[in-house]
Amino acid sequence: MERLATVAVAMPCGMIFCLTGILVNIIQLCFLIIWPVSKNTYRRIVGAVTDILFLHLTFLVDWWAGLEVRIHADLETLEVIGKEKALVMPNHTCDADVLMMWLLAERFNCLRGALMVMKKSSKYLPRKSCKFEIYGWANWFNGAVFLDRNWAKDEGKLKSSFQELKDFPISFWLTIFVEGTRMTPDKLLAAQEFAISKGFPVPRNVLIPRTKGFVSAVQYMRSFVPAVYDVTVAVPKGHPIPSVKGFLRKQPSVVHFHIKRYAMNELPESDEGIAQWCKDRFVAKDAMLDKFRANGTFDGKESRDLRIPPKKSLIVVILLSCIDSIGAILLIRRFSLLSNWKGISSLAFAVAFDAILMYTFIEYTKLPEQGKVQARNGQVVKLH
């Protein structure tokens, strides 16, 4: 019953997202003819329409679920964030990590430039849900970087993809999740066992970073990207971990973002030095998250309590809801869909299809239930 209730609540949201996403994908595709003439004009147009789609998702988090956002950063970082090109390096926390980064980008008016390093399969058909097709295609047209997760294939693609961003016409954030996979207790257990076997610091709150992609990003982009943002994401004790299912159920929570800006010219020059720098940052993240668990906040940084979300996403979703509703009414009246069994069956099929898509979407994004793990005196312990 709980799942059915969640799906029922999600269906209107899913319908608006699908209709809007299909229109956005069509616009992105049609304007490809501009690319040979003016690449930057194409990117500005595509960025604007992609922004509309992303705002639909930040509305879900901000206005529907009511997620509270706290920002921790020094004053110098707060003055420049959102106004420059940057490589963003967050930790994985939940099944809604991408939404969390879009939420952060929106807070600093950088949503249309919020690019991601993603799995290659995200942009191709078929997918488990048309929502993933819409999502993947929108990111592809907008300039996201896609990986095969095979370094022999990825190395050349990364270089060309990163260089394509050199003349990107607006400020952007390229987010790369260097842990390489979402955080689960079993994956943390595997990371702890690996760390012990290699004599590395044993992580408690993060996974061990996979540094090749990050090293390539730094080496190929350091000439035109001035900064790396080391973003640490945490949820206080007593608050539920954010999730797509929780957002749809209007489950309130709180998320803290600690942002540390590093000038790109401060990073080491060699590949080995950059890789070690990245690993050191995750050791520091782990210690920082330990303190956060104990104190419920990050220490020594300017804090901004952004409980009131930007109104832009609210306005966009209200307008989209009105447009879609009027369009649906006109379509029903034009084809008299409520006056015969064929029309009623078509509407019933559309509703059922939307329900199946939303159920698939929720189940696909949900992290599996697993036991908790801890590292005690260098020994990995799994708690059931």
Side-chain angles (χ1 to χ4, degrees):
M1 285 298 294
E2 181 181 329
R3 289 183 180 181
L4 291 176
T6 303
V7 170
V9 170
M11 283 173 61
C13 177
M15 186 68 74
I16 295 171
F17 179 82
C18 282
L19 293 174
T20 304
I22 291 170
L23 180 60
V24 165
N25 287 166
I26 291 172
I27 293 172
Q28 291 173 321
L29 180 62
C30 290
F31 275 96
L32 271 176
I33 59 174
I34 296 177
W35 180 271
V37 180
S38 177
K39 186 163 57 175
N40 284 344
T41 299
Y42 172 79
R43 283 170 164 169
R44 291 182 184 278
I45 294 171
V46 166
V49 296
T50 306
D51 189 45
I52 294 173
L53 185 65
F54 290 172
L55 283 169
H56 182 276
L57 297 172
T58 60
F59 165 84
L60 175 68
V61 181
D62 264 336
W63 291 96
W64 181 259
L67 185 74
E68 295 181 14
V69 177
R70 316 279 172 85
I71 307 292
H72 305 262
D74 57 46
L75 290 175
E76 292 181 0
T77 299
L78 291 172
E79 287 178 2
V80 299
I81 192 169
K83 302 174 184 176
E84 63 179 353
K85 297 176 181 178
L87 182 63
V88 182
M89 185 180 68
N91 57 299
H92 271 299
T93 56
C94 61
D95 65 22
D97 290 318
V98 172
L99 292 181
M100 295 294 97
M101 298 315 298
W102 283 345
L103 194 70
L104 183 62
E106 187 191 10
R107 288 299 196 275
F108 292 100
N109 199 31
C110 196
L111 184 59
R112 67 178 56 186
L115 311 178
M116 297 272 175
V117 176
M118 310 169 69
K119 292 186 298 183
K120 182 180 177 181
S121 58
S122 299
K123 68 176 179 178
Y124 290 128
L125 301 176
R127 296 291 288 167
K128 293 186 178 182
S129 165
C130 80
K131 293 170 181 59
F132 293 109
E133 298 160 9
I134 291 167
Y135 162 83
W137 281 28
N139 278 284
W140 181 37
F141 285 121
N142 198 41
V145 179
F146 292 88
L147 298 178
D148 282 292
R149 291 187 172 181
N150 181 321
W151 185 244
K153 296 180 180 180
D154 289 335
E155 186 176 11
K157 292 178 182 177
L158 285 175
K159 180 179 179 179
S160 60
S161 296
F162 293 147
Q163 290 298 322
E164 278 288 326
L165 298 175
K166 189 171 185 177
D167 58 351
F168 204 81
I170 61 174
S171 298
F172 68 78
W173 292 3
L174 179 63
T175 298
I176 179 168
F177 290 97
V178 296
E179 292 162 291
T181 186
R182 296 186 295 178
M183 166 71 78
T184 68
D186 282 353
K187 290 172 183 176
L188 178 57
L189 175 61
Q192 291 172 337
E193 291 174 339
F194 177 79
I196 291 172
S197 70
K198 296 293 185 179
F200 297 159
V202 180
R204 297 166 299 280
N205 309 287
V206 297
L207 303 180
I208 296 173
R210 303 175 184 180
T211 58
K212 286 185 177 180
F214 179 78
V215 170
S216 293
V218 172
Q219 294 289 40
Y220 294 132
M221 298 171 65
R222 68 191 316 157
S223 64
F224 60 92
V225 172
V228 175
Y229 295 161
D230 181 11
V231 179
T232 304
V233 188
V235 179
K237 286 182 179 179
H239 294 275
I241 299 297
S243 67
V244 173
K245 183 178 180 180
F247 294 150
L248 292 170
R249 294 170 58 193
K250 301 189 71 172
Q251 185 180 63
S253 188
V254 179
V255 63
H256 290 244
F257 295 95
H258 180 280
I259 307 171
K260 172 66 175 176
R261 182 187 184 276
Y262 292 92
M264 190 70 82
N265 57 20
E266 295 177 2
L267 271 64
E269 295 290 335
S270 68
D271 289 358
E272 296 77 11
I274 297 169
Q276 189 58 52
W277 184 90
C278 179
K279 293 175 183 177
D280 291 343
R281 297 287 70 75
F282 269 78
V283 172
K285 280 181 188 285
D286 202 30
M288 190 184 303
L289 287 168
D290 277 339
K291 291 182 179 180
F292 183 90
R293 305 283 184 249
N295 302 326
T297 189
F298 292 112
D299 296 330
K301 294 292 180 182
E302 179 76 13
S303 176
R304 286 191 181 182
D305 187 350
L306 301 177
R307 299 189 188 190
I308 301 176
K311 293 184 175 63
K312 187 177 179 180
S313 62
L314 177 63
I315 294 170
V316 165
V317 169
I318 290 174
L319 289 175
L320 290 175
S321 299
C322 292
I323 292 170
D324 289 344
S325 298
I326 293 171
I329 292 171
L330 292 176
L331 182 67
I332 291 171
R333 294 181 63 180
R334 171 67 177 81
F335 294 99
S336 303
L337 296 180
L338 293 177
S339 62
N340 56 73
W341 282 110
K342 185 177 180 180
I344 294 173
S345 299
S346 298
L347 291 175
F349 175 80
V351 171
F353 185 66
D354 184 42
I356 293 171
L357 289 180
M358 287 309 305
Y359 178 82
T360 305
F361 175 67
I362 293 168
E363 292 299 310
Y364 180 83
T365 58
K366 187 173 64 175
L367 291 176
E369 296 288 338
Q370 300 174 83
K372 296 182 178 180
V373 296
Q374 290 183 356
R376 297 175 180 170
N377 301 320
Q379 298 296 318
V380 179
V381 180
K382 185 169 183 176
L383 306 177
H384 295 282

